[in-house]
Amino acid sequence: FVSLLHIVVETPPGTTTCLNVVLCCSCILDSWLGLGTDEKAVIKVLGHRNASQRRIIGETYQQLYNKCLIDDLNAELSGDFRVTFRISF
């Protein structure tokens, strides 16, 4: 299962931040439960992460839900919004 619940990541020189990966994955999954997709929630989680953090979130999502985050993004998002997130991974 997931071995690291929190990952300390390097941010601008001399600072670090803690990324709660499981919480990020849960928020993403919750964003497309029910009718429609809560695109603001997806942006809130993935839009403010660098490529390394998004990769870690994607790997953890796979471990938690046995589903590929990129495939789920493709299924739930549309148009330019989908293209933007596909490029970011």
Side-chain angles (χ1 to χ4, degrees), residues 5-43:
L5 298 181
H6 292 84
I7 299 172
V8 176
V9 292
E10 197 64 31
T11 53
T15 64
T16 57
T17 187
C18 186
L19 173 65
N20 185 330
V21 182
V22 174
L23 181 60
C24 290
C25 293
S26 176
C27 289
I28 292 168
L29 184 66
D30 289 347
S31 74
W32 44 67
L33 294 178
L35 294 175
T37 299
D38 183 356
E39 294 176 348
K40 289 181 182 180
V42 175
I43 292 169

Side-chain angles (χ1 to χ4, degrees), residues 61-85:
Y61 187 92
Q62 177 73 41
Q63 291 176 351
L64 289 172
Y65 307 118
N66 199 28
K67 299 169 79 175
C68 176
L69 177 58
I70 295 172
D71 290 346
D72 281 357
L73 286 170
N74 280 330
E76 296 294 332
L77 304 178
S78 62
D80 292 339
F81 193 60
R82 176 181 15 202
V83 173
T84 301
F85 276 102

Side-chain angles (χ1 to χ4, degrees), residues 34-53:
L35 294 175
T37 299
D38 183 356
E39 294 176 348
K40 289 181 182 180
V42 175
I43 292 169
K44 189 174 183 180
V45 173
L46 296 176
H48 302 287
R49 307 286 186 238
N50 63 38
S52 176
Q53 293 168 330

